[in-house]
Amino acid sequence: MTKLTLGAHPYMLGFEQLERMLERSAKSGNEGYPPFNIEQTSQNSYRITLAVAGFGEGDLAITVEDRQLVIRGRQRDDSDERIYLHRGIAARQFQRSFVLADGVEVGEAIMENGLLHVDLTRAQPEMVVQKIKINKG
């Protein structure tokens, strides 16, 4: 039995890039930290919320790289300045990646009560009907 991939399906033309993006997303190494939610806030908008307690605005970076939303966090290591009797809260870095479809744009990012909210909107493509002229060969 032959495995039929999205890019090899006879009626799906030009979707090879989508298949590569799905593979890249699966291999991106997103672990379980930090936990996050994705909610649909309207028919054409979404909000990604990450639990980033302990991170300040200066510890976080949000970029869009090749249709991929990348959120990075890096805390300063202040262990030289403090003496811990118990250290259960790790100062670790993270990277979360989300593949964006064409037409999805990143809006504002808001930090609130240890939560980072990133708003996304999807532009509605206009319906285009194109008539193709048939030439005599």
Side-chain angles (χ1 to χ4, degrees), residues 8-9 26 29 43 45 47 60 94 104 133:
H9 194 281
Q43 186 173 348
S45 63
R47 174 173 270 188
L60 301 168
F94 71 87
V104 174
K133 182 181 175 190

Side-chain angles (χ1 to χ4, degrees), residues 33 53-55 75-77 87-93:
Y33 179 78
F55 288 86
Q75 290 178 316
R76 289 177 277 111
D77 187 14
R87 187 161 187 183
I89 302 172
R92 60 178 166 170
Q93 60 187 12

Side-chain angles (χ1 to χ4, degrees), residues 1-120:
M1 182 173 185
T2 304
K3 180 182 175 188
L4 192 60
T5 63
L6 185 65
H9 194 281
Y11 301 118
M12 304 291 284
L13 303 175
F15 284 91
E16 297 83 10
Q17 182 181 356
L18 177 61
E19 190 168 20
R20 283 192 300 272
M21 284 192 325
L22 288 171
E23 288 174 7
R24 183 176 63 185
S25 176
K27 295 177 186 175
S28 68
N30 280 337
E31 299 170 2
Y33 179 78
F36 67 95
N37 292 336
I38 300 175
E39 63 182 296
Q40 186 169 2
T41 54
S42 76
Q43 186 173 348
N44 296 313
S45 63
Y46 308 93
R47 174 173 270 188
I48 298 172
T49 301
L50 284 85
V52 292
F55 288 86
E57 289 90 348
D59 300 328
L60 301 168
I62 303 169
T63 58
V64 177
E65 306 167 11
D66 191 27
R67 301 302 311 153
Q68 196 167 16
L69 171 65
V70 180
I71 304 170
R72 293 180 179 92
R74 182 180 198 106
Q75 290 178 316
R76 289 177 277 111
D77 187 14
D78 62 353
S79 59
D80 295 339
E81 302 168 10
R82 298 180 182 194
I83 299 172
Y84 290 96
L85 300 178
H86 171 75
R87 187 161 187 183
I89 302 172
R92 60 178 166 170
Q93 60 187 12
F94 71 87
Q95 177 175 313
R96 278 273 181 205
S97 301
F98 303 90
V99 177
L100 303 176
D102 287 337
V104 174
E105 297 296 326
V106 179
E108 68 177 338
I110 303 165
M111 188 81 148
E112 172 184 57
N113 299 325
L115 299 174
L116 175 66
H117 304 289
V118 180
D119 292 326
L120 310 169

